[in-house]
């Protein structure tokens, strides 16, 4: 308890306007309670004891009202960095160029700006004619990668690359010809390389909400299936999905790294521990507050519950009594997020210098985008949140950092998707609702 009070005290110092940490039921409100500095803590024991009827609340996209901008904490400013066509995943190349996937348009753009600039000076098309591109990664690590990897809906490609090129240096090479036996439903495929570049991670979302129509298998058939796939692996339209796959950098050595992650939309490798992290969209249809979405480190060989369980031993009602053998094997995620918030992007803040360097206490923290709810009567999400880290481990709290995209109960004007750290230390956030890349920087950058 003492450590918990010390942590809350340190958070209050970082956010002087902070009134309290919202926990339990108080953490499960809606957009009206959102504001930079608000802290939430949701634990596994805070979940409702039973599902309730689900409510759909689809947000109407509206134009950004005159004079309205996102809200950030005191001491920071946010400005529009670039306007694009539905920007989604965003990654920064070692030379500082910013690569952005315009998923629906089927292309990847490159933005370039001088250090400290509030707007991109140039915008180029790196590659187009792609099938719903999303994940972007550079290989090998270091200042001079030779390849840009891009994940399509069901393939992984790579393009020859020399640092500073604004257009792909040649035709695409296919690294993984078929990510999963099926496509559809969740189509975002993210990419990340392990700390030493030996493993290419590919995230694969499920092909259904909760495998409601999956066919029955005998215990013997399940045992054989799992021996060839992974513990808890689903089948039929969800075969080799709801997981993170691992490959050699050339696409060989395919294996399931971790399973039971319904939709790990984005990944990041922790800068000091080397652990893989995922932001995960959980299932719909169980009510406003079930189950929480989450952000978690991902263990090799780990099982995270989908479709039979969620957040530990909580059994999905669609699969009641089907897999009691799995209950004790489910890993509880690190940080629980309000249900249906739809986390889509993650990055760790690692800048040590730059014209837009954040204060010291942000070093090593994670930032996560929340795209926003639809299967919830009370709208939530539509913001960027900060996950404080201590010695490489999460505090399990999360703090509102950029809010203000919701107009009212019916309309929103922006939806954050990707987040990346610019070479000068600023944060860049893609917003596929308004078609904007937002730049967040301190008003008085830290000296270095």
């Amino acid at each position: 308890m003492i450590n918990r009070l010390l942590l809350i005290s340190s958070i209050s110092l970082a956010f002087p306007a902070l009134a309290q940490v919202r926990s339990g039921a108080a953490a499960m409100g809606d957009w009206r309670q959102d504001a930079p500095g608000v802290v939430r803590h949701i634990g596994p024991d805070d979940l409702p004891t039973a599902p309730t009827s689900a409510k759909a609340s689809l947000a109407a996209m509206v134009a950004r009202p005159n004079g309205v901008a996102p809200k950030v904490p005191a001491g920071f400013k946010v400005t529009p960095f670039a306007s694009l066509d539905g920007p989604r995943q965003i990654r920064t190349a070692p030379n500082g160029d910013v690569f952005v996937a315009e998923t629906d348009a089927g292309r990847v753009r490159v933005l370039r700006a001088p250090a400290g600039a509030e707007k991109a000076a140039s915008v180029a098309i790196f590659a187009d004619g792609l099938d719903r591109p999303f994940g972007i990664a550079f290989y090998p690590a270091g200042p001079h990668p030779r390849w840009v990897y891009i994940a399509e809906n069901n393939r992984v490609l790579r393009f020859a690359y020399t640092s500073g090129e604004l257009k792909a240096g040649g035709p695409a090479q296919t690294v993984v010809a078929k990510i999963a036996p099926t496509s559809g439903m969740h189509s975002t495929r993210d990419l990340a390389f392990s700390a030493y570049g030996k493993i290419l991670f590919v995230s694969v979302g499920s092909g259904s909400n909760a495998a409601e129509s999956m066919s029955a298998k005998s215990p013997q058939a399940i045992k054989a299936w799992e021996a060839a796939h992974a513990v808890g692996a689903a089948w039929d339209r969800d075969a080799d999905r709801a997981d993170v796959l691992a490959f050699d950098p050339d696409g060989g050595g395919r294996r399931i790294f971790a399973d039971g992650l319904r939709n790990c939309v984005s990944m990041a490798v922790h800068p000091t521990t080397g652990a893989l992290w995922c932001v995960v969209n959980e299932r719909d249809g169980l009510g406003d507050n079930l189950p929480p979405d989450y952000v978690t480190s991902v263990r090799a060989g780990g099982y995270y519950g989908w479709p039979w369980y969620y957040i530990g031993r909580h059994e999905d009602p669609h699969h009641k009594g089907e897999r009691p053998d799995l209950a004790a094997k489910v890993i509880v995620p690190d940080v629980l997020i309000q249900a249906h918030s739809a986390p889509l992007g993650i990055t760790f803040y690692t800048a040590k210098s730059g014209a837009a360097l954040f204060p010291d206490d942000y070093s090593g923290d994670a930032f996560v985008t929340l795209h926003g709810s639809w299967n919830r009567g009370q709208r939530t999400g539509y913001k960027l949140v900060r996950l404080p880290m201590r010695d490489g481990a999460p505090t399990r709290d999360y703090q509102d950092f950029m809010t203000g995209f919701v107009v009212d109960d019916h309309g929103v004007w922006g939806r954050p998707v990707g987040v990346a750290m610019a070479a000068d230390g600023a944060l860049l956030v893609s917003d596929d609702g308004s078609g904007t890349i937002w730049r967040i920087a301190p008003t008085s950058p830290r000296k270095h």
Side-chain angles (χ1 to χ4, degrees):
M1 176 62 74
I2 292 175
N3 287 339
R4 174 79 175 161
L5 291 174
L6 289 173
L7 172 61
I8 292 172
S9 177
S10 68
I11 292 172
S12 298
L13 290 173
F15 292 94
L18 178 64
Q20 63 177 333
V21 176
R22 299 177 182 273
S23 60
M28 300 180 188
D30 66 6
W31 63 275
R32 291 175 180 81
Q33 290 82 48
D34 291 350
V38 170
V39 178
R40 289 179 175 81
H41 178 94
I42 301 173
D45 295 336
D46 296 328
L47 274 60
T49 56
T52 59
S53 59
K55 301 175 183 178
S57 179
L58 298 175
M61 291 304 308
V62 300
R64 177 158 64 109
N66 290 335
V68 171
K71 300 173 184 177
V72 291
F76 290 87
K77 60 181 177 180
V78 57
T79 53
F81 183 72
S83 295
L84 298 176
D85 185 1
R88 306 214 82 200
Q89 190 59 284
I90 179 170
R91 295 276 159 78
T92 304
N95 77 324
D97 286 342
V98 179
F99 282 62
V100 183
E102 292 179 315
T103 301
D104 289 346
R107 61 179 169 248
V108 171
R109 298 264 195 183
V110 185
L111 313 182
R112 179 171 291 173
E118 293 190 349
K119 290 187 179 295
S122 66
V123 180
I125 296 176
F126 181 79
D128 58 7
L130 303 171
D131 179 16
R132 296 192 61 75
F134 188 79
I136 303 167
F138 305 93
Y139 181 82
H144 303 294
R146 295 184 292 108
W147 301 98
V148 176
Y149 283 63
I150 296 175
E152 293 186 307
N153 180 26
N154 209 19
R155 291 192 304 174
V156 179
L157 308 175
R158 70 180 182 184
F159 294 85
Y161 174 68
T162 299
S163 183
E165 286 184 334
L166 298 176
K167 185 174 177 59
Q173 294 184 12
T174 300
V175 177
V176 179
K178 195 171 187 179
I179 296 172
T182 62
S183 59
M185 183 69 171
H186 299 120
S187 65
T188 53
R189 307 284 177 260
D190 200 21
L191 302 174
F193 281 99
S194 61
Y196 295 102
K198 295 183 178 180
I199 302 173
L200 169 63
F201 297 111
V202 182
S203 65
V204 191
S206 67
S208 63
N209 176 46
E212 299 94 332
S213 60
M214 189 167 58
S215 62
K217 283 184 182 289
S218 68
Q220 294 79 14
I222 291 174
K223 185 176 181 180
W225 177 265
E226 291 186 342
H229 294 83
V231 171
W235 51 87
D236 292 344
R237 66 190 290 188
D238 288 297
D240 291 342
R241 299 186 63 170
D243 56 19
V244 173
L245 302 177
F247 299 85
D248 300 335
D250 64 1
R254 179 192 182 101
R255 61 268 192 203
I256 294 176
F257 181 78
D259 189 41
L261 298 148
R262 179 178 176 268
N263 189 17
C264 167
V265 181
S266 285
M267 300 181 289
V269 172
H270 192 278
T272 57
T273 68
L276 180 70
W277 281 71
C278 272
V279 295
V280 178
N281 286 203
E282 258 292 357
R283 67 209 80 188
D284 297 316
L286 302 183
D288 269 16
N289 296 316
L290 282 180
D293 293 330
Y294 58 87
V295 185
T296 191
S297 57
V298 181
R299 303 180 199 172
Y303 175 61
Y304 291 81
W306 190 90
W308 287 278
Y309 293 87
Y310 57 87
I311 317 301
R313 292 174 172 267
H314 296 87
E315 190 174 41
D316 188 296
H318 297 99
H319 302 285
K320 188 173 179 59
E322 293 179 7
R323 295 298 305 273
D325 58 304
L326 292 176
K329 298 178 181 179
V330 181
I331 297 171
V332 177
D334 290 299
V335 183
L336 305 186
I337 305 290
Q338 284 174 284
H340 312 297
S341 293
L344 295 194
I346 179 172
T347 196
F348 291 100
Y349 194 84
T350 59
K352 303 299 182 186
S353 63
L357 191 63
F358 277 35
D360 262 340
D361 59 335
Y362 286 85
S363 182
D365 287 353
F367 286 89
V368 171
T369 56
L370 306 182
H371 197 230
S373 63
W374 70 269
N375 189 238
R376 195 173 197 272
Q378 294 181 298
R379 193 174 311 290
T380 191
Y382 307 95
K383 57 189 176 183
L384 174 73
V385 299
R386 172 192 178 192
L387 277 57
M389 308 286 284
R390 301 291 181 266
D391 299 322
T395 65
R396 301 187 187 276
D397 296 335
Y398 68 99
Q399 309 168 6
D400 289 355
F401 193 78
M402 180 170 67
T403 65
F405 294 100
V406 182
V407 175
D408 53 32
D409 282 338
H410 307 289
V412 302
W413 62 265
R415 305 193 72 180
V417 180
V419 56
M421 189 181 68
D424 63 4
L427 278 183
L428 299 176
V429 178
S430 63
D431 161 13
D432 67 357
S434 70
T436 305
I437 305 292
W438 298 99
R439 180 181 184 269
I440 305 171
T443 53
S444 299
R446 172 164 59 100
K447 294 181 180 180
H448 51 83

